[in-house]
Amino acid sequence: MIDIHTHILPGVDDGAKNLDISIALLKEEKDAGMDTVYLTPHNNKNTKTGPELKKKFQSFLLETKDLGINLKLGSEIYYYHDMIKDLKEGKILTMDDTKYVLVEFSTRTETDVCEVVYELVREGYTPIVAHIERYPYLTKGDYHEIKENGGLIQVNASSFKHFGTRQKMKYLLKNDLIDYVGSDCHSLDRRNVDFSHATKYIKKKFPDQYKKIFEKTSL
């Protein structure tokens, strides 16, 4: 099982503030059954910190080597105009140096997510739209177009806790549109690692989707 969306790397964004919190979150990941965890710090047009993150990640690997969990480095990139150029130059990070890219969008300003996905795919990348349920301007048709354009869809495990977002989850699952469920964990309180609602709901209502989503061992 893999968690592709976390903010566990300490002291680099609004996620884990120190090593102790990071280690506690990784223990939660292990308890949740995760074998592989992607560390995906926030990046945007003002924080092109790819090289620095790689150095911090290497140090973090030494601090956590005894936990018995496979760690990989990526980033959650807030979409901006020159993002593709900066990806090519290594200023911002893909997922584990692959062509997979975790991208988030504004929840307030309507963005043509379908077009962005198309452009990224055209440039040889495989975009993963982060927590797609958070963008109120996206339609059901947009969800399908994103997949048709070659994009992948990630939703947050916490979205299965609430009736409103659970209805979106039901539609996405019914139409085989979800590729990943991520924790998007930031801390040990309300934004911790909690897959319980997601796994229970999907296993009960959509067992075939459960296998597809949770029995992955890599991207």
Side-chain angles (χ1 to χ4, degrees):
M1 296 171 71
I2 63 175
D3 186 358
I4 71 157
H5 187 168
T6 74
H7 298 274
I8 291 177
L9 192 65
V12 295
D13 61 5
D14 61 342
K17 299 304 179 188
N18 55 55
L19 180 61
D20 289 340
I21 294 173
S22 297
I23 290 174
L25 287 170
L26 286 177
K27 289 179 178 177
E28 287 188 351
E29 293 278 7
K30 198 168 182 180
D31 290 343
M34 299 299 146
D35 305 299
T36 299
V37 174
Y38 286 77
L39 311 183
T40 55
H42 289 291
N43 255 276
N44 57 49
K45 64 182 179 181
N46 298 316
T47 57
K48 303 168 188 176
T49 54
E52 291 87 349
L53 289 174
K54 286 186 175 182
K55 291 179 182 178
K56 291 183 178 181
F57 176 65
Q58 290 304 316
S59 298
F60 187 65
L61 287 179
L62 295 175
E63 298 281 1
T64 57
K65 59 184 174 60
D66 295 329
L67 292 178
I69 193 163
N70 186 26
L71 300 180
K72 295 182 181 294
L73 180 63
S75 62
E76 180 187 13
I77 306 164
Y78 190 94
Y79 172 73
Y80 59 95
H81 179 67
D82 289 327
M83 190 182 81
I84 293 175
K85 175 177 176 291
D86 289 338
L87 278 170
K88 290 180 176 179
E89 294 177 357
K91 295 177 180 177
I92 50 177
L93 301 179
T94 63
M95 303 290 276
D96 191 35
D97 286 327
T98 66
K99 290 294 187 177
Y100 289 82
V101 185
L102 183 65
V103 190
E104 70 169 327
F105 299 88
S106 174
T107 58
R108 298 181 179 181
T109 302
E110 186 167 343
T111 308
D112 193 343
V113 177
C114 299
E115 179 63 22
V116 173
V117 166
Y118 175 81
E119 291 294 334
L120 281 163
V121 171
R122 190 174 69 172
E123 293 295 328
Y125 296 98
T126 300
I128 305 169
V129 179
H131 41 61
I132 201 169
E133 70 276 18
R134 288 189 180 178
Y135 314 122
Y137 49 83
L138 291 183
T139 66
K140 291 177 179 178
D142 291 329
Y143 299 150
H144 289 274
E145 186 174 348
I146 286 166
K147 295 299 292 283
E148 290 165 3
N149 286 351
L152 301 175
I153 286 176
Q154 179 255 315
V155 299
N156 282 0
S158 59
S159 294
F160 288 86
K161 293 181 181 180
H162 312 292
F163 178 78
T165 46
R166 196 162 60 238
Q167 291 303 103
K168 285 187 180 180
M169 300 301 101
K170 183 178 179 180
Y171 178 84
L172 291 165
L173 286 163
K174 188 175 181 180
N175 288 276
D176 192 19
L177 295 172
I178 295 177
D179 297 286
Y180 307 100
V181 175
S183 69
D184 193 9
C185 62
H186 282 65
S187 62
L188 293 172
D189 49 27
R190 65 183 183 87
R191 301 191 73 179
N192 63 340
V193 179
D194 183 4
F195 285 91
S196 59
H197 293 83
T199 54
K200 182 179 179 181
Y201 179 84
I202 298 173
K203 184 178 283 188
K204 180 179 179 180
K205 301 287 188 179
F206 299 92
D208 291 339
Q209 296 299 309
Y210 180 89
K211 292 181 180 180
K212 171 199 165 190
I213 294 167
F214 287 107
E215 294 184 3
K216 287 187 172 90
T217 57
S218 66
L219 289 174

